[in-house]
Amino acid sequence: MAEELEFYDVKSKSKFKSSKYRIEERKGRFFAVTKSESGPHECWRVVNKKFAEDNSK
């Protein structure tokens, strides 16, 4: 089971927690990406390489 992370929604200016996210790599940096609770957009959070390796499918 994925670890629960806290995300910040820039558009609604609120924090929320989610354990449903995917890991993406962009230019050598790793991100956890989840759907926003307040709209159709996505929220991104930077994670370290070890966390990305442990939590990717």
Side-chain angles (χ1 to χ4, degrees):
M1 187 163 109
E3 184 178 332
E4 188 172 66
L5 290 177
E6 187 171 69
F7 291 86
Y8 181 74
D9 187 344
V10 176
K11 290 187 178 183
S12 69
K13 298 179 181 161
S14 62
K15 292 182 182 180
F16 65 95
K17 292 185 179 184
S18 178
S19 59
K20 295 182 181 180
Y21 52 83
R22 68 181 188 275
I23 302 295
E24 286 200 20
E25 181 182 0
R26 299 273 173 104
K27 297 182 181 179
R29 296 184 79 184
F30 295 92
F31 300 90
V33 184
T34 190
K35 185 184 177 309
S36 171
E37 293 182 332
S38 65
H41 55 279
E42 294 180 329
C43 299
W44 293 58
R45 176 192 168 128
V46 176
V47 295
N48 65 35
K49 185 177 181 179
K50 179 161 176 28
F51 181 89
E53 290 171 349
D54 293 343
N55 291 288
S56 63
K57 295 179 182 175

